[in-house]
Amino acid sequence: VTVIDRKGWKGTFEYLYSDSSKTSQDTSTLTREETRRVNGSFKLDAAPIGNGIVGGNGDGTVAQTITSSTTNPICSSSSASSLAGPLQVDAQGVVGSGAGSLTLTAHGDNLSGKTENKENCSKNGSAGTDSWNNGSFAVTCQLIGLDFDKGGTYSTPVEGDQGKGTCKVSISPE
């Protein structure tokens, strides 16, 4: 018999990510910087799915910017791409005696993006903007040692591609 004295847990999360890379050849240098910001909320149901396992969902948003620049003796060009839109948040938790673990997966499709290109091959130069849809995004955060009874704020590092990120989650009993 499992006795539950609460409705469940509610929480918010924030994911910050940055990546910077530089590639040089004999005639050109490519510099790339990327930043992502993801935030949202979720709810964990107290009704166990299995032995000490809870599940829930929520919503969130993503804002991602990638800035690239290329320089060579003939031309210099730069571009900035952005991705934004709503996310679906899937939350799965394992509860022990107060402490446990939590896995959050934020994902979305049909997101909107925009790419701005600039090029300087003449005195006048050139620029262009391209808007697009059907972008996608996914990130998974795994946190261990959460005190579900007391709640609190927890952080964990997340590695993706060549960059590094931080996932911060705050939970509290409903």
Side-chain angles (χ1 to χ4, degrees):
V1 177
T2 301
V3 178
I4 299 173
D5 60 355
R6 63 178 64 85
K7 294 180 179 180
W9 298 268
K10 59 183 178 179
T12 60
F13 72 96
E14 181 184 51
Y15 171 68
L16 300 177
Y17 173 88
S18 63
D19 179 18
S20 179
S21 61
K22 188 173 183 179
T23 304
S24 296
Q25 296 179 347
D26 293 340
T27 58
S28 64
T29 300
L30 174 63
T31 303
R32 178 177 176 273
E33 296 182 1
E34 177 180 356
T35 58
R36 299 177 190 171
R37 179 181 294 272
V38 183
N39 54 53
S41 60
F42 64 93
K43 180 181 183 297
L44 282 172
D45 298 324
I49 300 174
N51 184 17
I53 300 175
V54 295
N57 52 39
D59 56 67
T61 58
V62 60
Q64 174 177 301
T65 301
I66 302 175
T67 302
S68 300
S69 62
T70 303
T71 57
N72 59 47
I74 300 175
C75 300
S76 63
S77 61
S78 63
S79 64
S81 300
S82 61
L83 179 68
L87 298 178
Q88 175 68 37
V89 181
D90 300 324
Q92 294 290 331
V94 178
V95 183
S97 58
S101 63
L102 179 66
T103 299
L104 285 176
T105 301
H107 55 92
D109 295 315
N110 300 321
L111 307 181
S112 61
K114 183 174 67 173
T115 301
E116 296 182 6
N117 296 309
K118 294 182 180 180
E119 190 173 355
N120 185 15
C121 289
S122 65
K123 294 181 179 180
N124 295 329
S126 61
T129 301
D130 178 29
S131 297
W132 43 276
N133 291 310
N134 298 321
S136 62
F137 178 87
V139 63
T140 298
C141 301
Q142 294 179 325
L143 298 105
I144 300 175
L146 281 69
D147 192 333
F148 285 86
D149 288 341
K150 296 179 181 179
T153 301
Y154 309 88
S155 297
T156 183
V158 179
E159 292 189 11
D161 301 327
Q162 297 179 354
K164 294 185 180 297
T166 302
C167 186
K168 182 171 66 175
V169 172
S170 298
I171 65 169
S172 60
E174 282 196 314

